[in-house]
Amino acid sequence: GAVVSQHPSRVICKSGTSVKIECRSLDFQATTMFWYRQFPKQSLMLMATSNEGSKATYEQGVEKDKFLINHASLTLSTLTVTSAHPEDSSFYICSALPTSTDEQFFGPGTRLTVL
Amino acid sequence: AQKITQTQPGMFVQEKEAVTLDCTYDTSDPSYGLFWYKQPSSGEMIFLIYQGSYDQQNATEGRYSLNFQKARKSANLVISASQLGDSAMYFCAMREGLEGYQKVTFGIGTKLQVIP
């Protein structure tokens, strides 16, 4: 089956630092990847849609200069939270869309804690 | 208006019994897809079942079935023969359009607890 990995699974950082989260499709190519954020006891909210080789499309209210997305290859997308603050603490989940199907496959998530 | 509404914040079910998790949706797009995902405490999102707006029959996947009532805009998930491992958060989601790259919107979820 289609497997998506995320690294790291958990990260704790100090306020003001930047954190990079990787999302990899392990056994398929993904032209499109999605980044979601989930606050405790809440639903997944789409942050941005990442397309290989082009700029990401951000949802309304998501700061593109704060959440930098790079989708440099068909198997890797990265999300960098720049100058992280405690309010950015959340569960970040990526999903990848194989080029051959309409179904997203989700990564296991990254729990970010900003102190 | 909420695109996906899940009105049951929490549900309990006895092991081996069936349970229905409610979901209603709102869209004016005639082409859409409906999903159910399971999220255990570990956090990963596990795909359970999909129903396309033009599908004539209700989707089924093993113990999961989707009760699709198009006129009522409801897409309830039925889990038969509940197991302890079914305890998790369940999210209903909708994609407006049938293309995979289109945005998926999630409901707020229902926490299901299976009682031994």
Side-chain angles (χ1 to χ4, degrees):
Chain A
V3 179
V4 177
S5 70
Q6 277 185 244
H7 178 79
S9 58
R10 187 179 295 266
V11 57
I12 301 173
C13 69
K14 291 182 178 180
S15 185
T17 61
S18 294
V19 175
K20 180 186 283 188
I21 303 170
E22 293 184 349
C23 177
R24 291 183 186 273
S25 56
L26 298 185
D27 51 1
F28 64 94
Q29 293 185 329
T31 306
T32 302
M33 291 184 175
F34 303 89
W35 286 97
Y36 296 86
R37 179 169 52 186
Q38 185 180 29
F39 291 109
K41 301 187 188 302
Q42 294 189 25
S43 187
L44 275 73
M45 298 298 293
L46 181 66
M47 299 175 66
T49 302
S50 163
N51 292 296
E52 187 263 339
S54 64
K55 291 184 179 180
T57 302
Y58 290 80
E59 293 299 303
Q60 192 173 12
V62 178
E63 301 174 58
K64 62 181 180 181
D65 294 331
K66 180 169 183 62
F67 299 99
L68 301 179
I69 292 173
N70 186 320
H71 192 159
S73 78
L74 287 172
T75 58
L76 173 65
S77 176
T78 60
L79 169 69
T80 301
V81 183
T82 62
S83 186
H85 291 284
E87 58 266 29
D88 298 323
S89 297
S90 186
F91 193 56
Y92 291 86
I93 307 177
C94 72
S95 70
L97 182 68
T99 52
S100 57
T101 76
D102 291 331
E103 180 185 342
Q104 296 181 39
F105 293 90
F106 283 84
T110 296
R111 190 164 301 282
L112 170 64
T113 304
V114 185
L115 302 176
Chain B
Q2 293 287 336
K3 288 188 180 289
I4 292 287
T5 302
Q6 293 180 256
T7 57
Q8 305 154 314
M11 289 281 286
F12 289 91
V13 64
Q14 202 78 37
E15 193 178 5
K16 299 180 185 177
E17 297 289 312
V19 62
T20 298
L21 305 184
D22 295 341
C23 173
T24 57
Y25 58 93
D26 183 27
T27 181
S28 57
D29 194 327
S31 303
Y32 54 89
L34 298 158
F35 303 80
W36 277 93
Y37 289 90
K38 171 184 177 182
Q39 187 179 42
S41 56
S42 54
E44 76 269 30
M45 294 291 285
I46 301 169
F47 166 77
L48 296 178
I49 198 166
Y50 169 81
Q51 179 89 40
S53 59
Y54 298 113
D55 295 342
Q56 295 294 317
Q57 298 198 347
N58 287 347
T60 60
E61 290 284 349
R63 293 186 299 110
Y64 304 108
S65 60
L66 198 151
N67 185 358
F68 182 43
Q69 311 241 340
K70 196 170 184 176
R72 298 174 62 183
K73 293 190 174 179
S74 75
N76 298 341
L77 176 71
V78 180
I79 305 174
S80 62
S82 297
Q83 301 172 358
L84 295 178
D86 294 335
S87 295
M89 284 292 293
Y90 288 81
F91 291 96
C92 179
M94 176 177 66
R95 181 175 62 209
E96 291 178 285
L98 298 176
E99 300 293 335
Y101 60 84
Q102 290 167 300
K103 177 180 175 180
V104 175
T105 303
F106 288 80
I108 61 171
T110 294
K111 184 173 183 178
L112 176 67
Q113 295 186 66
V114 180
I115 306 165

